[in-house]
Amino acid sequence: MKDIYILGIESSCDETSASIIRNGTDEIATVILSQIDIHTNFGGVVPEIASRHHVKNITMVIEDCLNKANMSMNEIDAIAVTYGPGLIGSLLVGLESAKTLSFIYNKPLIPVHHIAGHIYANNLVKTMKYPLIALVVSGGHTDLVYMEDEYKFKRLGGTLDDAVGECYDKVARVIGVGYPGGPVIDKMATLGSHTYNLPIPLDDNSYNFSFSGLKSAIINLVHNEEQRGNEINKEDLATSFQEVVVDIITKKTLKALKDFNVKNLVLAGGVAANKGLRDKLTLICEENDIDYTFPPIKYCTDNAAMIATAGYFLYKEGRFSDLQLNAKSSVELQ
Ligand code: KG4
Ligand code: ZN
């Protein structure tokens, strides 16, 4: 069978990225330009600044990727692009670039849902087996998804308020360790011990999550200690926070695996890079005879390799879009 090369483009938040993937499994080249250093100054992503930087960089990123792959646009079979969800101004930059290339080079345009991309990043590690449960944990999502087969998503539940990554970023800001908070808190959590008594978030029988109560408890704790002139032990707080978060997430993931009698788990999204979460999931999967896959650390946060990979499976089904395709800031996983 002929090899299929998909050019993926991702610009939904603060990473400008392009990637070429062969047959939905082999990475030929990937370029990721992160704006983290720019947004760190503001303590979070500023949408207007993000889209301006995408405009400035997108052409260069796509060109770099083609050069790195030593390929020309004529050798590309289709262009996959994130159309949502994400920041509208950021999404539009990648989308318009993809539409332009699709028009000029007469290549099919494949619309990829950002979260489908995060899930399919696992296919770069090993072929995904169905049925599976996908645990999606990012700055915008905390979802448990049942997949019966390729591109058949059923959302079992998710966060009722803050996403888990958002909560990490907020806690990091409150204790003054910068943006994005996830990686910093994750590292600090290996240095402390679980000494702070924090509320367990939404410990019920559902597949839903709620992190706003936990977030508020930490904000109050930090403020109260400050007012009393006491110093917070940041490492201990990071450990206490991470353990509570990881425990509830793994508990509900295991429940979903058992309830649906599923033997395959994939992890997805920026928070999939979390060491505490990976370690605990590994433990429960090994104890329960579950086959698990985690994306490579570099492809946990936003990147175009995952978009090109997810795009390949839509390509196989001929699910293309015309040039009317529009960006959507929020859209159901499909
Ligand atoms: O998937 P992503 O790049 O963007 C969204 O689609 O949201 O995820 C970014 C989020 C941020 O909130 C960041 O703090 C979090 O992922 N994150 C982590 C870790 N690395 C990134 N959270 C916890 N532990 C980490 N090691
Ligand atoms: Zn993402």
Side-chain angles (χ1 to χ4, degrees):
M1 223 175 69
K2 177 189 176 301
D3 284 331
I4 300 299
Y5 293 86
I6 308 281
L7 169 67
I9 298 176
E10 154 70 36
S11 70
S12 65
C13 191
D14 60 342
E15 266 92 23
T16 321
S17 180
S19 174
I20 298 168
I21 300 288
R22 181 175 52 211
N23 302 332
T25 49
D26 310 327
E27 183 187 12
I28 308 299
T30 301
V31 176
I32 306 172
L33 195 67
S34 173
Q35 303 176 10
I36 282 184
D37 292 349
I38 297 156
H39 298 286
T40 297
N41 302 325
F42 305 97
V45 177
V46 183
E48 176 64 24
I49 295 177
S51 43
R52 283 183 200 199
H53 278 87
H54 286 308
V55 170
K56 202 168 115 192
N57 295 321
I58 189 87
T59 314
M60 180 186 73
V61 165
I62 295 170
E63 265 175 19
D64 266 9
C65 179
L66 286 163
N67 288 341
K68 220 169 138 185
N70 201 16
M71 290 178 77
S72 74
M73 272 310 294
N74 295 324
E75 295 167 278
I76 299 292
D77 292 283
I79 302 156
V81 63
T82 309
Y83 70 99
L87 301 171
I88 199 79
S90 292
L91 285 164
L92 279 168
V93 180
L95 186 62
E96 290 309 314
S97 313
K99 283 185 342 189
T100 308
L101 289 173
S102 158
F103 178 69
I104 296 174
Y105 294 98
N106 196 23
K107 305 285 178 189
L109 180 67
I110 307 172
V112 177
H113 190 286
H114 182 75
I115 297 303
H118 274 303
I119 293 174
Y120 274 96
N122 288 284
N123 211 67
L124 291 166
V125 179
K126 65 175 192 256
T127 305
M128 284 157 63
K129 281 187 282 188
Y130 300 95
L132 62 75
I133 295 287
L135 169 62
V136 182
V137 278
S138 74
H141 289 79
T142 312
D143 290 331
L144 277 166
V145 178
Y146 173 80
M147 283 180 78
E148 190 196 325
D149 207 339
E150 223 66 270
Y151 261 92
K152 296 223 164 18
F153 305 106
K154 182 173 183 241
R155 185 176 180 271
L156 303 178
T159 185
L160 303 174
D161 39 60
D162 296 354
V164 62
E166 194 182 341
C167 196
Y168 266 93
D169 295 338
K170 186 74 199 199
V171 169
R173 198 185 313 177
V174 167
I175 62 173
V177 294
Y179 172 87
V184 185
I185 301 251
D186 190 12
K187 225 173 251 156
M188 287 169 70
T190 60
L191 306 171
S193 43
H194 193 151
T195 52
Y196 289 98
N197 196 8
L198 299 170
I200 300 171
L202 199 63
D203 192 9
D204 65 0
N205 253 338
S206 75
Y207 305 114
N208 291 327
F209 300 96
S210 167
F211 295 107
S212 66
L214 175 63
K215 182 185 75 181
S216 304
I218 291 179
I219 295 172
N220 290 338
L221 188 147
V222 172
H223 287 167
N224 289 341
E225 292 299 298
E226 268 171 15
Q227 270 168 3
R228 291 197 192 109
N230 297 336
E231 211 160 285
I232 287 278
N233 183 317
K234 293 182 182 177
E235 279 87 14
D236 285 351
L237 185 56
T239 310
S240 311
F241 165 69
Q242 178 141 307
E243 276 189 23
V244 169
V245 168
V246 167
D247 279 356
I248 196 69
I249 292 179
T250 45
K251 184 177 173 182
K252 294 207 169 182
T253 305
L254 185 59
K255 177 177 158 46
L257 287 159
K258 286 192 166 161
D259 289 354
F260 287 82
N261 194 21
V262 169
K263 289 289 180 194
N264 301 299
L265 173 72
V266 301
L267 183 59
V271 186
N274 187 274
K275 186 173 179 317
L277 182 60
R278 284 177 174 245
D279 288 351
K280 186 88 191 259
L281 284 174
T282 303
L283 197 71
I284 64 148
C285 286
E286 284 173 359
E287 277 172 6
N288 292 277
D289 204 17
I290 307 279
D291 194 351
Y292 59 94
T293 313
F294 304 154
I297 297 283
K298 62 179 175 176
Y299 295 147
C300 286
T301 44
D302 294 347
N303 65 86
M306 67 185 198
I307 301 303
T309 305
Y312 171 75
F313 294 93
L314 292 173
Y315 178 91
K316 281 208 305 188
E317 292 178 15
R319 286 168 64 181
F320 304 136
S321 189
D322 61 24
L323 295 178
Q324 304 303 314
L325 179 65
N326 211 345
K328 294 202 167 88
S329 58
S330 92
V331 52
E332 279 219 354
L333 180 56
Q334 56 195 355

